[in-house]
Amino acid sequence: MSKFELKLPRMGESVAEATLTSWLKEVGEKVEMDEAIFEIATDKVDSEVPSEVDGVLIEKRFEVDDIVKVGQVVAVIEIAGEADGLVEDTDNTEETSDEELASMAEEAIEKGRETLGSPVPDYTSTERFYSPLVKNIAKEEGVSLAELEAISGTGKEGRVTKNDILDYISGRSNGAQVAPQPKKTPEAPQPVQTKKEEVSAPPKIVEKEESQIKVGAGDEIIPMSRMGKLIAKHMSDSVSTSAHVQSFIEVDVTNIVNWRNKVKDAFEKQEGEKLTFTPIFMEAVAKALKKYPMMNISVDGDNVIKKKNINIGMAAALPDGNLIVPVIKNADQLNLVGMARVVNDLAERSRKNALKPDEVQDGTYTVTNVGTFGSVFGTPIINQPQVGIMALGAIRKIPSVIETKEGDFIGVRSKMFLSHSYDHRVVNGALGSMFAKAVADYLEAWDVDREI
């Protein structure tokens, strides 16, 4: 029998590591090729990692909540026959490699501390387990062992995870701390650090804030999911970063509705794709961004970065109630057929939790369809570091004044609202309104005789 090493695959140019969130197979279980073995999460997307071979899972190299770097061996599968990636016995090699990596990181931090003339915290005199990543972060931020011991871990068996230590450091820097729990070890007293530790302690204030909310007898406490917490933080950060301003414009999309009803069946038969309104709207937004490139920018300190590529994020609701924003890369270079294929593919894989990390990055502008849920308009929050987001309202049939050469009359038209949120730090009201008007003009000028 031979062994196959299942490594964390490359997930995109900007992704170097991921958190192992769950094991889908246990040691001793049979696995098939392309069957998911474990789940991982980055700060952008959750994903499953499938097996590359048929066999039996015989070893797990990481636990839930561990940080795994791209290329590291996560699991070992026993198989019969020959295949790429087979090894006879790599346990010692891998262990040595991991130890060397941790040792190199610790040595580099120690050298940096020596250069700065500050003491290096010693985390060896404790029975509690800390991953090398957590210890490295603690050393870099000057977190003492007493502080680290007092942090309440959310990982398996109370382990302190990367998010735990980062949350603690964030709370400490904001001044939200209480005194740390005393450490019960026979260490000699450290008078220099004692004073600091009385001030620098874990952010227990969060628990106190929660306790101020009265929970009734019939109330249910529902912990937020990992993605829910990331979204909450991302949204609150955006509101505190950008000066949000909104512009609204009503659009007559009667020609688009009639054209789509006329060609949608032929489109699906010819192209094998359903024709929704979304690719039509995305095409209009891409054209408007081409016309007004200063909406396709990001803010970096005192500089404005004008993006070369037009990459439109498409907000998509997930079955669990969360939200994800896959990105249509180079949207201005796609025709309507290509746009429909990309939109349908991203939407389908979003629902199946099958997006790659690179597919939710590098967006330069975002569109969200609030009309799907019946909303007429909204005030969406900007997806940082972008400077604009457009909400598409529900299409409704309403009585409207129609202007003709023969005079005005009342008729039934299909109309919708476009809600444009933009960053008033760098986008003034004129540009924000002209951009929304450009999208509306493209939609209202739709050619009813346009061929597929």
Side-chain angles (χ1 to χ4, degrees), residues 122-128 130 144-150 179-190 193 197:
D122 180 15
Y123 304 119
T124 59
S125 56
T126 177
E127 295 181 358
R128 191 179 187 185
Y130 299 106
S144 68
L145 178 59
E147 294 176 81
L148 198 58
E149 291 278 83
Q181 301 174 4
K183 187 171 75 70
K184 299 179 181 179
T185 63
E187 281 190 352
Q190 300 177 9
Q193 293 186 0
E197 290 168 6

Side-chain angles (χ1 to χ4, degrees), residues 151-162:
I151 296 176
S152 178
T154 60
K156 187 176 181 181
E157 299 178 353
R159 289 184 180 179
V160 176
T161 66
K162 175 185 176 183

Side-chain angles (χ1 to χ4, degrees), residues 176-282:
Q177 311 95 17
V178 298
Q181 301 174 4
K183 187 171 75 70
K184 299 179 181 179
T185 63
E187 281 190 352
Q190 300 177 9
V192 176
Q193 293 186 0
T194 301
K195 185 176 180 180
K196 176 183 177 183
E197 290 168 6
E198 289 178 354
V199 179
S200 301
K204 298 294 184 180
I205 190 69
V206 176
E207 296 179 2
K208 291 184 178 180
E209 289 179 352
E210 292 177 354
S211 64
Q212 294 175 1
I213 300 175
K214 294 182 179 179
V215 180
D219 296 342
E220 180 183 3
I221 299 176
I222 304 174
M224 294 177 66
S225 66
R226 189 195 70 86
M227 181 174 286
K229 288 186 284 188
L230 286 173
I231 293 173
K233 186 178 187 305
H234 191 58
M235 293 297 97
S236 60
D237 287 348
S238 180
V239 171
S240 63
T241 298
S242 297
H244 282 64
V245 176
Q246 285 81 29
S247 294
F248 307 91
I249 188 167
E250 190 176 32
V251 189
D252 189 332
V253 291
T254 305
N255 288 343
I256 291 177
V257 172
N258 292 339
W259 178 83
R260 175 181 172 272
N261 289 337
K262 179 177 67 175
V263 305
K264 63 180 181 180
D265 291 338
F267 186 93
E268 184 174 4
K269 183 178 180 180
Q270 177 178 318
E271 304 297 339
E273 297 285 347
K274 291 185 178 297
L275 179 61
T276 65
F277 288 109
T278 302
I280 298 174
F281 296 141
M282 292 296 181

Side-chain angles (χ1 to χ4, degrees), residues 1-28:
M1 303 293 284
S2 302
K3 297 177 182 179
F4 179 84
E5 294 179 334
L6 181 61
K7 301 178 181 180
L8 184 65
R10 182 180 176 86
M11 299 173 291
E13 294 181 0
S14 57
V15 181
E17 63 181 24
T19 302
L20 197 156
T21 55
S22 68
W23 282 99
L24 305 178
K25 288 290 184 178
E26 297 298 329
V27 173

Side-chain angles (χ1 to χ4, degrees), residues 46 337 396:
D46 295 353
V337 174
R396 302 173 301 146

Side-chain angles (χ1 to χ4, degrees), residues 412-427:
V412 176
R413 306 293 290 179
S414 294
K415 290 194 172 185
M416 65 181 293
F417 280 98
L418 302 179
S419 307
H420 186 210
S421 293
Y422 46 95
D423 190 343
H424 210 13
R425 295 178 302 165
V426 289
V427 180

Side-chain angles (χ1 to χ4, degrees), residues 34 43 84 147 157 163 230-231 238 266 289 306 338 380 410 414:
D34 295 328
D43 62 343
D84 292 338
E147 294 176 81
E157 299 178 353
N163 289 336
L230 286 173
I231 293 173
S238 180
L289 288 171
K306 186 164 71 171
I410 302 295
S414 294

Side-chain angles (χ1 to χ4, degrees), residues 387-403:
V387 298
I389 180 172
M390 179 166 286
L392 309 174
I395 298 176
R396 302 173 301 146
K397 287 185 177 181
I398 60 173
S400 179
V401 175
I402 302 174
E403 298 178 357

